[in-house]
Amino acid sequence: MAVKLLLTPTSLFLTLALCLICAPNAAAQGERLRLQVHESGRYLVDANGAPFFWLGDTAWALFTELTEEEVAEYLDDRHEKGFTVVQAVLAWGGGPAPNAYDEAPWIDGDPAAPNPAYFDRAARIVEMAAEREIVMALLPAWGDFVTVNQRINAGNAYEYGNWLGARLGEYPNIVWVLGGDRLPDGHEDVFRRLAAGIAEAEDPPHLMTYHPRGGGHSSSEFFHADSWLGLNMIQSGHAIDYPDYKYVLRDYELFPARPTLVGEPRYENITHGLRGEGPRVDDHDVRKAAWQSVLSGACGHTYGCNGIFQFWRPDMQSRWNPGIQWRDALDLPGARHMGVLKAIMTSVDWWRLQPAQEMVAGGGQDGYYVAAARSAHGDFALVYFPEYMLASVDLSRIGGEGVRAEWINPRTGEHSEIGQFDQKAGRQDFLPPTGDEDPDWLLMLGSAVPDTTPPRIVSVSAGGDPERVRVRFSEPLDPTTAQNAANYAVEPQVTVAGAELVGDAVVVLATSPMTEQEYTLTVSGVADRWVTPNVIAAGTTATFPWTAEPPRVRDGLVALYTFAGVQDGVISDDSDVEQPLPLAIEEGSGADAVEGELVVGQTSLIASRRPATELAQACMATNEITIEAWVRPANLDQEGPARIVTLSRDTGERNFTLGQEHDRYIVRLRTTETGPNGTPPLEAPEGSLTTELAHVVYTRADDGTARLYIDGEEVATLQVGGDLSSWSEDYRLGLANELTRDRTWLGSISLVAVYSRALGPEEV
C-alpha cells in the first residue's frame, strides 16, 4: 500500500528518487553503442565516430512475452545473424500487458505510476542487449496510449518521459522511438512533451525518432523540423512489392538532411495486405524491400517476422496467425539473408553511397524497380536486380580506368566475376546469372584501375558581365578546393573575389571589372572527387578574351546553324565538330536565308542529307540534350504541332521535336519511357508563344528533369523518365516541317543549336 501511495501522480518524482537509489550502475559494456548522427545528416555513427549500419528486428512484445532466459535465447540468435538493433515496446497491449513475471509497467494502468520492478527487469534486458552489441530501439508505449485512450496526455507525457530518461538513460545502447504504429492525429504536442521529458533527464540525450502508421508514412511528415528528431523512420506496409524505396527517396531529398530508414516493412510470413487468407510474404519479398531501400539512401533497414514481433506460440490468439512458433521463426530464410545484406554492405564503404538511379535504364517500378547507388567518388556502385530481368547500366559513371563487374548472391553473399569493361562503352546490358529459382541478384561495379588523372581546364569564357568568368573542368570537382578563390588568379590586374561551383565541373569566378582584351587564368590546388583526390597541375593556365557581348556556350555543342553561310541552298553547320551536319533547303521549298535569318513563307523542308548519327550518339552517351532556337512564328494558327526543329522519321516516330501548337511551344522527347513519339510532351503555358522574336531553349538533364525557357525565363518543367538509349541513329535533322513534309511551320529562324548536355539556367 505504501508503494501505491508513493506512485500517485503528485509524487512521481519521489518514485524516481527511490528508483535511482536502488538502480544498478550503467553497464560498462556497450558504451560504443551510444549512437549519433554523422555531420552529413545521412547516416549514424557510434561513440567512436565509426559508421553504424542499422539492421533492426521488430520484437515489439519482447518485454511482455518472454522470460529473461528466452530473451537471452532470442538476443543470442539475432546477434549471431548480424542484427545490430532490436525494436521493442515498453508498454504494450491493452492494459498495458504485464511481463512474463506478472509485473505490469504501470500500476493500475497509470503511466504516472511506473512499476519499478517491471523497469528493473527491462533495464536488465537493455544490459543483455549491450553485452551482445545490440542497440535497443525503445518505444515508451504503443501509440494507442496517446492517440486512442489518451492515458498518456499533455498532463503527464513530460513526467513519464522524464522518469524513463532518468531510469534508463544511463544505458548507452538506446534509441528512443516515439509513436507506435499510429499517426499523431492532433497529438503532436503530447509526443513533443514526451520527447522533452526524456531529453531533460539524459546527459547526453539519446537519439530519438517516431514510428508512424503504415502506408508509406514517415516521421518526416510530422516532426522533420523538430530538433529532438534525430532520424526519420518509415512504415511502408505489409503488402507484397510495396514500393518502400519511394518513401526513402522522398525523405532523402528533405532539408535539413536526416538519416532515414524503413522501421517496419512487410513481415516475413505475414499475409499480403494483412488479409485473413492469401499469399504470404516470403524471403524474396523481404530481400526486395531491404535492398531497394538501402540503395535508395536509407541508413539501414529493419526486418520483421510475423512469428517474432508477437513471439507467437500455438496457444496464443492472433489476428495474424503465423502458424510457426517464434523459436522456429527465428531461422526463416529472410532473417539469415538480412545478415548477408549487412555483411555485404559493411564490406564496402556503404556510407559513401548515394542514390544513383540515373545509372539504370530498363528498370521497372515497385517489385521490378532496379535500385542503384554509387559512391560520390565514383569508385564503386551497387545495383540490385529484384527479378530475373534485363537492365542497362551506365558504366561511364564509374571512375578510374576500366570497370570491374561481378555478381553477388544476396542469399549467400557469394561473388562471381563477370569481367572487365571500358567506361567508353557507356551503357551495358546485364542479366542475372540464374532464372526464376533464384531471381534477384546484386551487381557490384568498381574501378579496375584507380583514377590517377588530375582535372584539367576544358574551357574559359567571359563576356557581357565584366565581373564573371566561367571555367569548365574535365571532371567533377571537390567542392572545397573548387570554391577556394585563392586557387585562381587572373592577369593582368584582375582580383578574384570568389568562386562558386555550379553543377559538378563548372566554376564561376567573381572578379574585379575586366575590359575588352585577352586575359590569362592560372589555377592551382583544385582537386577532383576521387577517393585519393587528384590535384590539377600547379600553375595550369588558359587564355581567354573578355568581350562586351556574352560569348556563346560551346561546351557540348553538336550542331549550330546561324544561317550566315548559305551557298547553293546548303546551310553550314558552324559547331566546329569533327563531322559537321549541313542542312539543305530542299527543292520546291518556299524558304530562303536572308541576312542571317531563315525565312519560311510557305511549305518547306530544310533537312540534313544524311542521318544525324554523330549528334544522336553524343546525346545518347550523356543522356542529356539542349535544343535552342531563335524564332519568330508567322501566326498563332499553326498546329500538329508544326515542326520548328525535329530529329525524326515521320509523324509517329522521333528522337525529339520542338514545335508550335497555336499559342504555345511543345517539345517531344523520345526516351525508354516516353516511347517512339516522345509523349507526353513538355508544353509551355497557353499564350506564351507570340509572333515576336523569341529565344526558346529546351533542356533535359540526366536525372530526367526537362525545362523549357522563353527569353531566359523558365516557363515549364516536366520529369521525363527513362534514358535516350532507345534513340535511332538513322533519323535526319529537319527544320520547318516533318521529314514527311506534312507538319509545316511558317515564320523565321535566326539560330538553331543542339547540345549533348543540359545547359544550366545561367548558360541559357
Side-chain angles (χ1 to χ4, degrees):
M1 190 69 177
V3 172
K4 254 193 154 173
L5 288 173
L6 280 172
L7 295 175
T8 59
T10 57
S11 56
L12 185 61
F13 290 104
L14 292 177
T15 307
L16 172 59
L18 179 64
C19 289
L20 289 176
I21 290 171
C22 31
N25 292 328
Q29 298 96 332
E31 187 59 41
R32 178 184 65 83
L33 298 178
R34 188 178 295 274
L35 302 184
Q36 307 165 61
V37 175
H38 184 261
E39 61 184 10
S40 68
R42 292 303 184 193
Y43 59 91
L44 303 178
V45 295
D46 65 18
N48 298 325
F52 178 88
F53 188 82
W54 180 299
L55 181 60
D57 188 23
T58 49
W60 302 132
L62 179 75
F63 291 105
T64 59
E65 294 300 323
L66 301 188
T67 66
E68 289 188 26
E69 292 75 20
E70 289 171 327
V71 169
E73 181 182 351
Y74 164 78
L75 292 175
D76 283 341
D77 178 88
R78 272 12 199 175
H79 173 63
E80 185 273 330
K81 287 186 169 69
F83 286 85
T84 58
V85 178
V86 167
Q87 299 171 196
V89 188
L90 289 168
W92 162 269
N99 61 24
Y101 304 92
D102 204 31
E103 298 161 342
W106 306 331
I107 295 174
D108 291 339
D110 184 359
N115 182 352
Y118 181 94
F119 285 97
D120 285 350
R121 204 174 299 275
R124 285 199 292 275
I125 290 173
V126 173
E127 285 184 325
M128 291 165 63
E131 291 165 0
R132 292 158 176 83
E133 298 183 301
I134 290 175
V135 171
M136 293 299 298
L138 298 180
L139 280 71
W142 205 235
D144 285 356
F145 291 108
V146 175
T147 64
V148 180
N149 58 48
Q150 298 180 35
R151 294 193 194 178
I152 300 175
N153 51 57
N156 62 23
Y158 177 88
E159 288 75 13
Y160 178 52
N162 199 254
W163 192 92
L164 288 177
R167 178 64 189 89
L168 298 174
E170 63 182 305
Y171 299 101
N173 60 317
I174 287 177
V175 171
W176 290 107
V177 184
L178 308 190
D181 200 22
R182 297 293 181 269
L183 304 183
D185 287 338
H187 301 277
E188 288 85 353
D189 284 344
V190 176
F191 289 111
R192 290 185 174 108
R193 288 180 64 81
L194 186 61
I198 293 172
E200 181 67 26
E202 296 184 332
D203 185 23
H206 289 94
L207 281 181
M208 294 189 199
T209 185
Y210 183 94
H211 172 239
R213 193 182 68 198
H217 290 290
S218 170
S219 56
S220 64
E221 298 174 46
F222 317 104
F223 302 111
H224 188 76
D226 285 34
S227 60
W228 60 265
L229 187 82
L231 70 153
N232 280 312
M233 182 173 281
I234 299 163
Q235 183 180 169
S236 54
H238 299 283
I240 295 171
D241 282 348
Y242 196 87
D244 302 55
Y245 63 90
K246 289 184 179 179
Y247 306 100
V248 175
L249 289 168
R250 179 188 63 190
D251 275 3
Y252 193 86
E253 295 298 324
L254 296 177
F255 181 84
R258 296 193 190 280
T260 189
L261 59 89
V262 179
E264 184 174 339
R266 47 189 176 265
Y267 287 167
E268 189 166 15
N269 193 39
I270 207 163
T271 52
H272 171 64
L274 301 181
R275 297 172 185 142
E277 301 293 337
R280 289 179 179 258
V281 173
D282 62 15
D283 57 296
H284 183 200
D285 302 315
V286 166
R287 292 193 303 274
K288 283 186 184 182
W291 279 109
Q292 288 175 334
S293 293
V294 298
L295 297 186
S296 295
C299 65
H301 187 70
T302 295
Y303 164 82
C305 177
N306 192 9
I308 300 299
F309 85 90
Q310 54 189 319
F311 293 98
W312 187 82
R313 298 176 173 87
D315 59 350
M316 285 177 58
Q317 295 294 318
S318 173
R319 284 177 55 196
W320 307 285
N321 188 348
I324 303 174
Q325 68 95 13
W326 72 269
R327 280 191 173 89
D328 294 333
L330 286 173
D331 205 37
L332 284 175
R336 289 185 277 107
H337 299 164
M338 292 302 95
V340 173
L341 178 146
K342 180 201 158 196
I344 294 171
M345 293 295 287
T346 55
S347 71
V348 299
D349 293 349
W350 62 269
W351 58 92
R352 295 199 287 114
L353 288 171
Q354 301 172 353
Q357 206 52 34
E358 68 277 2
M359 291 186 65
V360 178
Q365 297 293 314
D366 301 342
Y368 291 87
Y369 181 76
V370 179
R374 170 185 171 273
S375 72
H377 300 300
D379 54 317
F380 76 102
L382 296 173
V383 184
Y384 176 68
F385 286 66
E387 297 284 352
Y388 184 68
M389 57 189 291
L390 185 74
S392 178
V393 181
D394 186 359
L395 302 184
S396 68
R397 299 286 176 161
I398 304 299
E401 297 179 16
V403 180
R404 185 187 68 257
E406 56 186 335
W407 289 113
I408 303 178
N409 188 329
R411 292 157 289 276
T412 65
E414 294 177 325
H415 294 234
S416 55
E417 188 175 348
I418 301 171
Q420 189 167 315
F421 301 86
D422 188 339
Q423 283 97 335
K424 295 178 182 177
R427 295 193 176 274
Q428 175 73 33
D429 289 342
F430 290 92
L431 182 68
T434 56
D436 293 338
E437 69 279 7
D438 287 318
D440 58 320
W441 283 80
L442 187 70
L443 175 67
M444 176 176 277
L445 303 171
S447 303
V449 178
D451 179 7
T452 58
T453 304
R456 57 183 176 81
I457 300 172
V458 172
S459 64
V460 183
S461 58
D465 187 337
E467 298 179 355
R468 293 171 73 83
V469 178
R470 185 181 185 88
V471 188
R472 175 171 289 276
F473 291 86
S474 58
E475 59 181 309
L477 302 178
D478 163 58
T480 301
T481 59
Q483 298 184 129
N484 183 356
N487 288 336
Y488 307 90
V490 177
E491 295 292 342
Q493 299 179 332
V494 174
T495 300
V496 178
E500 180 185 3
L501 183 62
V502 180
D504 288 331
V506 174
V507 176
V508 176
L509 303 178
T511 69
S512 56
M514 292 176 287
T515 58
E516 289 203 39
Q517 67 177 74
E518 190 169 87
Y519 291 92
T520 299
L521 169 70
T522 303
V523 180
S524 301
V526 173
D528 64 16
R529 296 184 184 176
W530 193 246
V531 185
T532 304
N534 299 293
V535 182
I536 195 168
T540 297
T541 62
T543 59
F544 65 95
W546 184 87
T547 59
E549 289 297 320
R552 164 155 295 281
V553 175
R554 303 194 74 89
D555 299 333
L557 187 64
V558 290
L560 175 63
Y561 306 99
T562 61
F563 309 106
V566 180
Q567 186 173 1
D568 298 327
V570 176
I571 301 167
S572 62
D573 177 0
D574 302 323
S575 63
D576 295 330
V577 295
E578 286 187 16
Q579 294 181 288
L581 187 72
L583 306 179
I585 302 175
E586 295 200 349
E587 239 180 86
S589 292
D592 196 10
V594 180
E595 296 181 354
E597 186 176 54
L598 179 69
V599 180
V600 184
Q602 62 186 51
T603 298
S604 302
L605 176 61
I606 299 92
S608 60
R609 288 175 173 167
R610 64 176 181 83
T613 303
E614 295 80 14
L615 185 157
Q617 289 175 341
C619 293
M620 291 165 70
T622 61
N623 198 35
E624 295 192 344
I625 187 171
T626 294
I627 307 161
E628 177 190 12
W630 280 90
V631 296
R632 190 193 310 269
N635 57 65
L636 304 183
D637 299 326
Q638 305 184 75
E639 61 183 359
R643 308 322 196 219
I644 300 172
V645 185
T646 189
L647 183 60
S648 54
R649 185 178 72 176
D650 52 35
T651 57
E653 193 169 321
R654 74 201 63 263
N655 290 343
F656 67 75
T657 295
L658 166 64
Q660 176 183 348
E661 189 70 29
H662 296 293
D663 60 353
R664 66 184 188 273
Y665 293 100
I666 286 181
V667 181
R668 294 179 180 177
L669 180 74
R670 179 178 189 163
T671 73
T672 50
E673 290 188 12
T674 62
N677 204 18
T679 56
L682 175 59
E683 302 183 0
E686 291 185 3
S688 57
L689 183 151
T690 70
T691 55
E692 299 297 318
L693 180 66
H695 183 220
V696 183
V697 180
Y698 170 88
T699 70
R700 192 267 189 183
D702 191 25
D703 64 2
T705 304
R707 306 180 192 276
L708 186 63
Y709 301 83
I710 298 178
D711 294 332
E713 180 183 351
E714 183 180 325
V715 297
T717 185
L718 180 70
Q719 198 65 24
V720 183
D723 63 73
L724 308 186
S725 61
S726 59
W727 272 28
S728 170
E729 299 177 17
D730 298 327
Y731 298 158
R732 293 189 294 152
L733 183 68
L735 307 181
N737 214 334
E738 184 56 75
L739 274 293
T740 47
R741 302 179 69 97
D742 48 2
R743 292 293 187 272
T744 295
W745 181 83
L746 304 178
S748 62
I749 305 175
S750 301
L751 179 142
V752 169
V754 180
Y755 294 81
S756 61
R757 66 181 183 89
L759 299 188
E762 183 184 82
E763 294 174 304
V764 171

